Amino acid sequence: MNLRTMKKYLLPFVLMAVVGFLLVTACSGIGGDTETPESAAAPGDINAIAAERGLTPADIEAAVKTYTPTGQHDEYIMFASGGHSGQMLVIGMPSMRLLKLIGVFTPEPWQGWGYGAESSMEVLEQGKINGEEVLWGDTHHPALSETGGEYDGEWVFINDKANARIAVIDLRDFETKQIVKNPIAINDHGGTMVTPDTEWIIEGGQYAAPLGWEYASLADYEEEYRGMVTFWKFDRESGRIQTDQSFAIELPPYWQDLCDAGKLVSEGWVFCNSFNTEMATGGVEDGEPPFEAGASQRDMDYMHIFNLDKAIEVFKAGQTEMVADFPVISLQTAIDEELLYFAPEPKSPHGVDVSPGGDYMVVSGKLDPHVTIYSFEKIQSAIAAGGFETDDYGIPILDFDDVVESQVEVGLGPLHTQFGPDGYAYTSLFLEPAVARWTMGGPYADLNDDEPWSLVTKTFIHYNVGHLAAAEGDTVSPDGKYLVSLNKWAIDRFQNVGPLVPQNLQLLDISQPGTTMPLIDDMPLGIGEPHYAQIIKADKLDPWEVYPEIGWNPATQSLDPNATLAGEERIERDGNNVEIWMTAVRSHFNPEHVEINQGDHVIWHLTNVERAYDATHGFSLPGYNINISIEPGETATFEFDATQDGVFTYYCSEFCSALHLEMVGYMLVQP
Amino acid sequence: MATSLEKIIGPRTPEENLAEDRFRFRLPIIFFLIAALLLIASIFLPYWKMTLQAPQYPKGLSITAYINKLTGDVGEIDGLNHYIGMRPLAEAAQLERSLSIAAVSVLSLLLVAAIFIHSKYAVLLALPAILYPFIFLGDMYFWLRNFGLNLDPTAPLSNAIKPFVPPILGVGKLAQFVTIAQVQSGYYLALMASISILIGLYFQRRAYKPLIDSPAGSEDQPIAITDLD
């Protein structure tokens, strides 16, 4: 082709690029106003750039450790709860880039989560509470599925503390597939954690209430109010929690907090901590001590030790009572069958974290400056020895000194512990606020040069850390390398954006031993309050680029009966029912005209027939609150009653191509 | 005296020489058979491939042509082509693709037949197979041209992208796409078959020409085949 015709060929693509160019020039234009060309450092002169920006050598080192150029992928992926956004966050590490926000309990427009598409509406529907739609959640603790105590990258679970619900997310497409409402509890906290092969998902309770959501006066707190722990059976084959094979154990009305599953030597056991063993009922308005004081009177609360294997046997033997149609092992049965023991734990603890080998349980009493390390072996010996004291409900209490291996004074407000591969453990210190590195003893003592069971160093963070997440730091083989401090306060770390301030996730480099543990990056997040996170090696994840076949239903992860291929588009009318089979491809919907009558019931199937990676189309139907995202290959279905007449323009809401604006159609509703 | 049929099929392999000079008469057979096998094998291999590179497609897009099918990112390329009004690739060379396997089988059978024709006419039987790779490319070019020059004038970009002919081999450029077209293993087999046939024809001619020039049994001109070596 000659130059002239080539130029003509280029013209449309130049036009296509105009939008992009306009954006780029607009942005650089804004930036250009604030800086003068003369102030720019010589290209390639790193020191000059650093000097100009006021960066120290440590800053440069941190930047080099975390800067991830375009196209380079992160080594780790962090799944963080979205807090009261009710969602899940997917974050790349060490770049600390937000890659995705997964709609879970809360509708999310980008993914079309909860705006008509049946695959999302049905899941949100499962989250109804006594028939009431609850379209938010307080997501707390994500749990990646495990095989042999290692993350396997197949599933991730998360709880909704506010409403005692559990969600299942499929990591083939990073979409929520199931929400389960706990029928016996109104709230939870000690979830989700999984057993080493993900057979069971643990959901511990939080604020005691009568089981089954009944009424009882606070005056009858000790008799009528109860705690609980629920074990949800997960079936990998179907990718669903089997509610009919799940059960709960009734617990005293202490406020159970966090749990962790035993692993390796302690597999088959589960540990939860608790606070408010005082059974305070508050009432500050009546001159009673407020909860914060009432629940903090005793020096010791109780670590709950469950023999899960035995509990499963008891459940399978039918030794349960039905509460709200859900099988519950009663407190008395749990005592009689020796399913439950207590070990005293220092004051108002938050974490109970099982060491990589399953041999130690680390408890952080947040009002006690120590971490307390229990030995599983000693716990077993104490149980075998018998001769226990009991609490008021008759639950055997093991002697503190018999089961504790060590205590390490780490600092003020210890909350949560994670582990490294090198014999180090890391505990968040809410009050200082800092992250403490300390050494494990026993079989871990030889893994580093520091003295066993001792504090090694602290790194101060900004500010008020809650949970920690170390790379694969709660598995049988932690990776070390990175640790994220999930800070509750950011205060002055970022530009003021008004009184509601972003959360701050801070990245620490824990790859070097001893006292070297630098802070290397900040990640502000203005989306809820990420509570806990798990960090998985990125190469363990193997999600689809596009759905496996055209016409895929993400809810069933199989071909949809209403899959529509190009050429099969049609509109069929049966009385007042109109059914539409539509396709979407760059850059048109087919059909582009939908003519219906007011009062019709419309069932609309929409298939994205694209096979190209990232060729997602949106579908927005204004006036009927329909907003759908159809990824390549996906078939979505939505239904509505055509109550309003008029002219409606449906269009593609995900910029798909140069002719994206032309990807539109008319729905005409005749009165 | 030779009949016209004998003229066409040429002299038979002389039994008396076969034992002592087996190789001379076997050599053309080997080359013809190799050619036939190469052609049959090529049916299962790709002949031609075009790769399209553009920033939006980090892994590139490609279409691969076998003699009877197109594979690769046909759907995606069709999707892009619809913007410029190019017909779906599946509409190209439908007749050729439907007949191709039978046609190549016939070419191979003709080569087998050529083994038994020891006259100049063997060339006629072998000629289709010799020319086949060039016919393939010619046909490919015809369709590229046909598709490139017959764009739907009502397509979204028809006012901007004028009809064009993508290069059948080598590198081309269309808008943000760089196209790289190359022949593939199947085509190379077909080409090797052509060469093998030419070599076979040479050896066949060398083996039988003396017999034609001096027919066996002619008393005055005894054969001295070995002298020709």
Side-chain angles (χ1 to χ4, degrees):
Chain A
M1 77 185 72
N2 64 39
L3 196 63
R4 183 178 295 176
T5 51
M6 195 145 115
K7 273 182 183 166
K8 284 179 183 168
Y9 301 156
L10 284 171
L11 187 64
F13 295 90
V14 170
L15 287 175
M16 275 187 247
V18 159
V19 175
F21 280 141
L22 281 179
L23 280 173
V24 170
T25 45
C27 295
S28 58
I30 293 161
D33 292 339
T34 56
E35 59 187 19
T36 54
E38 300 90 73
S39 70
D45 189 346
I46 292 164
N47 290 326
I49 298 168
E52 191 210 338
R53 297 197 64 215
L55 301 180
T56 66
D59 294 335
I60 296 169
E61 194 182 334
V64 173
K65 281 175 181 170
T66 56
Y67 175 68
T68 306
T70 182
Q72 190 169 312
H73 294 185
D74 281 303
E75 189 183 355
Y76 286 92
I77 298 295
M78 173 161 61
F79 290 87
S81 75
H84 36 7
S85 72
Q87 291 149 335
M88 171 91 85
L89 308 173
V90 185
I91 295 162
M93 284 176 57
S95 73
M96 302 303 275
R97 295 179 292 195
L98 178 62
L99 303 178
K100 196 166 203 171
L101 182 149
I102 304 172
V104 185
F105 298 104
T106 308
E108 200 291 307
W110 169 53
Q111 297 153 83
W113 185 250
Y115 297 97
E118 265 177 13
S119 59
S120 66
M121 303 310 275
E122 283 168 4
V123 175
L124 288 168
E125 191 98 341
Q126 295 163 6
K128 280 187 171 179
I129 297 168
N130 281 2
E132 197 68 35
E133 252 185 0
V134 178
L135 293 179
W136 74 287
D138 185 7
T139 53
H140 264 231
H141 309 104
L144 285 155
S145 59
E146 295 179 12
T147 300
E150 300 273 15
Y151 299 152
D152 56 36
E154 292 184 1
W155 306 91
V156 62
F157 313 98
I158 195 154
N159 71 317
D160 163 22
K161 163 171 168 158
N163 303 290
R165 296 183 294 182
I166 303 285
V168 177
I169 296 165
D170 189 337
L171 292 180
R172 284 174 293 183
D173 61 355
F174 284 56
E175 282 195 6
T176 308
K177 302 301 174 191
Q178 185 184 22
I179 293 176
V180 171
K181 166 72 189 115
N182 193 317
I184 66 167
I186 183 64
N187 62 73
D188 70 23
H189 190 266
T192 52
M193 290 82 195
V194 296
T195 52
D197 286 308
T198 322
E199 288 153 326
W200 299 92
I201 302 163
I202 303 163
E203 183 192 18
Q206 178 101 87
Y207 308 122
L211 292 188
W213 207 7
E214 300 292 330
Y215 172 81
S217 165
L218 274 169
D220 303 322
Y221 185 87
E222 293 179 21
E223 297 77 35
E224 299 294 335
Y225 285 54
R226 286 294 177 267
M228 67 92 197
V229 61
T230 301
F231 297 98
W232 296 104
K233 183 85 182 82
F234 183 65
D235 175 51
R236 267 181 207 264
E237 196 63 35
S238 61
R240 297 292 185 272
I241 288 171
Q242 313 271 297
T243 50
D244 57 351
Q245 292 175 47
S246 306
F247 67 98
I249 301 177
E250 178 190 10
L251 297 173
Y254 312 143
W255 293 351
Q256 287 77 32
D257 195 43
L258 279 167
C259 303
D260 201 0
K263 47 193 172 228
L264 299 177
V265 295
S266 53
E267 187 165 350
W269 292 74
V270 168
F271 310 89
C272 300
N273 55 22
S274 67
F275 60 109
N276 196 18
T277 51
E278 296 85 352
M279 295 189 281
T281 54
V284 65
E285 64 282 6
D286 298 324
E288 299 293 331
F291 279 114
E292 59 174 323
S296 313
Q297 294 304 300
R298 302 179 63 206
D299 284 339
M300 290 285 182
D301 290 298
Y302 297 126
M303 176 165 76
H304 295 33
I305 301 164
F306 298 94
N307 186 337
L308 175 60
D309 284 345
K310 219 169 186 177
I312 295 165
E313 283 171 28
V314 168
F315 159 61
K316 287 190 174 159
Q319 291 174 264
T320 53
E321 293 166 13
M322 298 304 275
V323 178
D325 292 329
F326 193 74
V328 177
I329 298 174
S330 72
L331 195 49
Q332 197 54 52
T333 305
I335 296 164
D336 295 343
E337 298 294 332
E338 302 174 336
L339 310 181
L340 173 62
Y341 299 90
F342 284 166
E345 54 184 1
K347 209 160 181 164
S348 305
H350 193 65
V352 51
D353 301 288
V354 178
S355 63
D359 36 13
Y360 297 118
M361 288 79 227
V362 178
V363 170
S364 314
K366 59 183 185 276
L367 300 181
D368 176 281
H370 297 91
V371 286
T372 302
I373 301 101
Y374 298 81
S375 153
F376 182 70
E377 203 183 321
K378 289 184 179 178
I379 289 171
Q380 292 303 304
S381 306
I383 289 172
F388 320 106
E389 289 182 29
T390 62
D391 77 341
D392 293 345
Y393 294 90
I395 296 154
I397 303 171
L398 310 178
D399 185 75
F400 183 77
D401 294 327
D402 286 349
V403 294
V404 167
E405 180 75 25
S406 185
Q407 284 193 295
V408 180
E409 187 170 343
V410 288
L412 301 175
L415 281 184
H416 178 227
T417 297
Q418 291 267 283
F419 303 93
D422 40 14
Y424 292 125
Y426 301 88
T427 299
S428 54
L429 304 172
F430 182 82
L431 297 176
E432 298 213 4
V435 173
R437 167 186 271 171
W438 52 275
T439 51
M440 305 270 288
Y444 306 93
D446 296 335
L447 297 175
N448 56 57
D449 296 336
D450 296 292
E451 192 187 333
W453 304 126
S454 69
L455 178 68
V456 178
T457 192
K458 288 181 201 177
T459 297
F460 290 94
I461 52 77
H462 319 88
Y463 302 91
N464 300 354
V465 50
H467 277 273
L468 297 175
E472 308 213 340
D474 59 5
T475 68
V476 295
S477 64
D479 284 11
K481 214 157 181 176
Y482 301 113
L483 180 141
V484 172
S485 171
L486 289 94
N487 305 330
K488 307 300 184 187
W489 291 39
I491 313 179
D492 61 350
R493 289 297 95 177
F494 309 107
Q495 195 71 26
N496 181 0
V497 288
L500 181 61
V501 176
Q503 311 292 313
N504 187 17
L505 274 53
Q506 286 187 307
L507 181 67
L508 276 70
D509 173 6
I510 57 167
S511 60
Q512 298 159 79
T515 55
T516 310
M517 191 166 66
L519 173 64
I520 54 172
D521 207 4
D522 277 28
M523 180 189 192
L525 264 174
I527 310 162
E529 186 229 278
H531 196 83
Y532 177 44
Q534 286 188 332
I535 299 165
I536 183 173
K537 194 88 194 301
D539 60 17
K540 288 186 178 177
L541 298 166
D542 187 23
W544 293 323
E545 289 188 348
V546 297
Y547 281 110
E549 289 177 71
I550 295 178
W552 199 259
N553 181 334
T556 59
Q557 297 289 38
S558 63
L559 212 52
D560 191 286
N562 289 299
T564 312
L565 299 178
E568 298 175 353
E569 301 89 347
R570 62 200 184 278
I571 300 177
E572 288 175 10
R573 171 176 285 280
D574 176 18
N576 283 338
N577 288 319
V578 178
E579 193 159 3
I580 300 159
W581 288 266
M582 177 181 269
T583 60
V585 71
R586 281 160 288 165
S587 309
H588 58 269
F589 294 108
N590 185 358
E592 289 184 331
H593 298 164
V594 172
E595 297 192 40
I596 56 175
N597 301 321
Q598 192 170 14
D600 283 344
H601 180 70
V602 182
I603 303 171
W604 200 314
H605 311 287
L606 183 54
T607 301
N608 179 347
V609 297
E610 303 269 7
R611 299 313 288 148
Y613 191 18
D614 206 4
T616 294
H617 294 290
F619 178 89
S620 301
L621 181 60
Y624 281 97
N625 197 31
I626 302 289
N627 177 45
I628 287 168
S629 171
I630 33 170
E631 285 87 73
E634 179 174 350
T635 292
T637 294
F638 57 92
E639 289 184 42
F640 60 92
D641 291 312
T643 51
Q644 310 172 60
D645 65 343
V647 174
F648 300 82
T649 50
Y650 51 86
Y651 70 98
C652 176
S653 52
E654 175 110 6
F655 208 123
C656 61
S657 66
L659 294 166
H660 161 75
L661 293 182
E662 288 78 356
M663 192 162 172
V664 61
Y666 280 93
M667 182 177 82
L668 305 156
V669 185
Q670 282 194 40
Chain B
M1 197 183 129
T3 66
S4 55
L5 180 69
E6 281 168 340
K7 234 175 199 169
I8 290 170
I9 65 169
R12 298 299 81 204
T13 312
E15 293 299 325
E16 62 273 25
N17 296 102
L18 195 59
E20 63 197 50
D21 201 13
R22 190 178 293 270
F23 196 56
R24 167 180 295 271
F25 295 101
R26 287 283 157 84
L27 211 51
I29 299 177
I30 291 168
F31 277 103
F32 285 144
L33 283 180
I34 288 174
L37 289 174
L38 286 171
L39 283 177
I40 296 294
S42 79
I43 290 173
F44 305 101
L45 293 168
Y47 266 53
W48 181 86
K49 183 178 181 179
M50 182 181 267
T51 306
L52 289 82
Q53 294 174 344
Q56 300 88 331
Y57 296 92
K59 292 176 186 168
L61 291 172
S62 68
I63 34 169
T64 304
Y66 290 70
I67 59 169
N68 63 332
K69 64 185 176 189
L70 279 176
T71 62
D73 303 302
V74 178
E76 187 63 18
I77 290 169
D78 278 345
L80 292 167
N81 283 344
H82 98 279
Y83 287 118
I84 58 171
M86 190 182 281
R87 284 169 288 157
L89 298 176
E91 290 179 15
Q94 283 173 321
L95 180 70
E96 291 92 318
R97 279 186 278 127
S98 64
L99 296 178
S100 59
I101 292 181
V104 170
S105 307
V106 168
L107 293 184
S108 305
L109 288 174
L110 286 176
L111 287 178
V112 173
I115 290 171
F116 301 100
I117 305 296
H118 300 154
S119 70
K120 284 189 274 192
Y121 295 104
V123 175
L124 284 181
L125 292 181
L127 199 60
I130 296 170
L131 294 180
Y132 163 63
F134 307 100
I135 294 167
F136 175 87
L137 273 192
D139 190 55
M140 194 84 205
Y141 180 74
F142 166 78
W143 284 108
L144 282 175
R145 197 180 150 79
N146 181 308
F147 268 52
L149 295 184
N150 293 293
L151 301 179
D152 180 355
T154 66
L157 299 183
S158 61
N159 61 336
I161 296 274
K162 291 304 167 202
F164 66 103
V165 183
I168 188 163
L169 290 175
V171 179
K173 181 138 176 58
L174 180 68
Q176 81 270 44
F177 284 95
V178 173
T179 62
I180 302 159
Q182 290 167 308
V183 291
Q184 300 292 302
S185 54
Y187 187 84
Y188 286 119
L189 291 195
L191 216 51
M192 280 160 62
S194 297
I195 294 164
S196 184
I197 295 163
L198 288 172
I199 295 169
L201 284 172
Y202 167 75
F203 282 120
Q204 196 173 53
R205 194 75 189 138
R206 201 179 69 159
Y208 291 101
K209 191 164 187 299
L211 297 179
I212 296 165
D213 293 345
S214 317
S218 164
E219 303 266 328
D220 50 326
Q221 286 184 299
I223 333 164
I225 290 165
T226 45
D227 294 347
L228 289 174
D229 286 328

